[in-house]
Amino acid sequence: MKAVILAGGYAKRLWPITKHQPKQLLPVAGKAMIEYPLERIEVVKTIDESIISINAYFENNFREWFSKYQIRKKTKLVIEKTYSQREKLGSVGALGFLIKKLKFNSNLIVVAGDNLFEFSIREICAFFRKKKSPIIALYNIKNKNRIKGKYGVVEMGENNKIIGFKEKPRNPKTSLINIGCLILPRRDVKLISKYLEEGHNADTLGHFIGWLAKRKNVYGYIIDDPWFDIGSFESYNQANKYYREKRLNLLKERKLIIS
């Protein structure tokens, strides 16, 4: 299995702090945001390589970070030749670019590089092996008013099968949301190219998932662990607070064990 971390956006909602550095390299409790999903991926033995998809505008920023990061698994940067928000490929467009460039011939797990989460990648991969079908990670936000116009909303039937998907609805039917983690079997990776060739929305994974669920059995993996979508200063501050407290608690525990 290959892992793709999508980090090719321009994060204009977080300007000015993301005007000259990518959102995924912003510090969260003392380390770059992107290191959190990478650490979750690196412990999964069935994932043999990680690919970080970035844009050309922030290439130097990523290369500087990459030269210092202690890599535990085969990892590489792949550069999208875009330099502005207007030129960006979008999440699905970036995947299409990678498929064409790298000619994937394996199962694929795709993770949004600006989502911080505590759930186990190992466990969602085990769920994927059981279902042998596309899998998306879901979070029950429990408050429909917080969802309106912001997230991809999922309807789920028996055995966790996705029976409906709507990207950023004004009147969500459920409080289950897509959180930017998708697993595709090798046989279905090519459907990303088909989706793009048909001229569909290349910007967000949600549009592709909705399209895919009408053609394939897609299943949802619901998480209860903490999750942060870093799309605003509020969520960025919340993530910093959570991970600072987590780090402090770990230090306290280690001190007690040592003493």
Side-chain angles (χ1 to χ4, degrees):
M1 179 180 283
K2 308 291 184 187
V4 171
I5 298 180
L6 297 173
Y10 291 85
K12 292 192 73 173
R13 284 181 294 173
L14 288 177
W15 276 22
I17 63 172
T18 54
K19 195 167 185 178
H20 301 295
Q21 72 167 328
K23 174 166 57 172
Q24 294 79 9
L25 296 186
L26 291 177
V28 175
K31 62 184 179 184
M33 186 186 301
I34 199 170
E35 293 179 23
Y36 289 91
L38 267 175
E39 288 171 356
R40 293 274 168 184
I41 288 166
E42 287 179 338
V43 298
V44 183
K45 292 181 180 178
T46 53
I47 298 175
D48 58 16
E49 183 179 22
S50 297
I51 296 114
I52 304 172
S53 179
I54 66 173
N55 61 55
Y57 183 78
F58 287 126
E59 179 178 354
N60 290 338
N61 303 72
F62 274 103
R63 289 203 182 280
E64 182 180 358
W65 161 78
F66 194 65
S67 68
K68 300 172 184 176
Y69 182 63
Q70 299 297 310
I71 298 171
R72 287 176 281 178
K73 188 185 291 290
K74 183 180 178 182
T75 304
K76 63 184 174 186
L77 302 174
V78 178
I79 319 301
E80 306 165 13
K81 296 301 181 183
T82 73
Y83 295 85
S84 68
Q85 174 79 8
R86 181 176 54 82
E87 295 177 316
K88 74 172 186 175
L89 300 181
S91 296
V92 191
L95 285 174
F97 170 76
L98 290 175
I99 290 166
K100 186 175 181 180
K101 184 178 180 66
L102 302 179
K103 297 179 173 55
F104 290 125
N105 187 32
S106 62
N107 300 328
L108 200 65
I109 180 168
V110 182
V111 177
D114 57 356
N115 277 9
L116 302 185
F117 51 83
E118 292 288 275
F119 70 89
S120 168
I121 293 291
R122 185 183 288 114
E123 290 179 9
I124 194 173
C125 286
F127 185 71
F128 165 71
R129 288 193 296 274
K130 178 182 177 182
K131 293 294 187 182
K132 297 180 174 61
S133 293
I135 303 295
I136 59 172
L138 305 175
Y139 185 80
N140 191 345
I141 211 164
K142 297 178 182 177
N143 183 343
K144 291 182 181 179
N145 289 326
R146 290 178 57 198
I147 295 172
K148 293 180 179 181
K150 292 182 178 180
Y151 302 104
V153 177
V154 173
E155 293 178 72
M156 198 162 62
E158 292 183 4
N159 300 315
N160 288 53
K161 183 180 176 182
I162 304 304
I163 59 173
F165 190 103
K166 188 75 173 177
E167 183 67 17
K168 299 180 180 179
R170 296 307 308 173
N171 296 296
K173 291 184 178 181
T174 77
S175 56
L176 276 177
I177 63 169
N178 168 44
I179 63 169
C181 179
L182 164 70
I183 305 182
L184 285 175
R186 178 174 59 185
R187 67 178 183 273
D188 292 334
V189 170
K190 61 186 178 182
L191 292 177
I192 293 171
S193 299
K194 179 176 172 59
Y195 170 89
L196 292 168
E197 287 166 4
E198 290 180 0
H200 299 293
N201 190 307
D203 193 34
T204 63
L205 278 177
H207 291 291
F208 171 70
I209 292 167
W211 177 89
L212 183 66
K214 293 176 182 178
R215 292 159 176 79
K216 293 278 183 175
N217 289 335
V218 179
Y219 295 92
Y221 178 85
I222 301 175
I223 69 161
D224 295 317
D225 309 274
W227 162 77
F228 302 92
D229 173 24
I230 313 300
S232 66
F233 286 102
E234 180 184 9
S235 58
Y236 178 51
N237 291 334
Q238 287 172 347
N240 262 298
K241 182 176 184 293
Y242 171 83
Y243 284 102
R244 279 197 299 265
E245 290 177 353
K246 180 182 178 181
R247 186 177 180 182
L248 181 61
N249 289 334
L250 285 172
L251 289 172
K252 288 178 178 177
E253 289 175 10
R254 288 172 184 170
K255 187 176 181 180
L256 286 172
I257 292 169
I258 292 170
S259 60

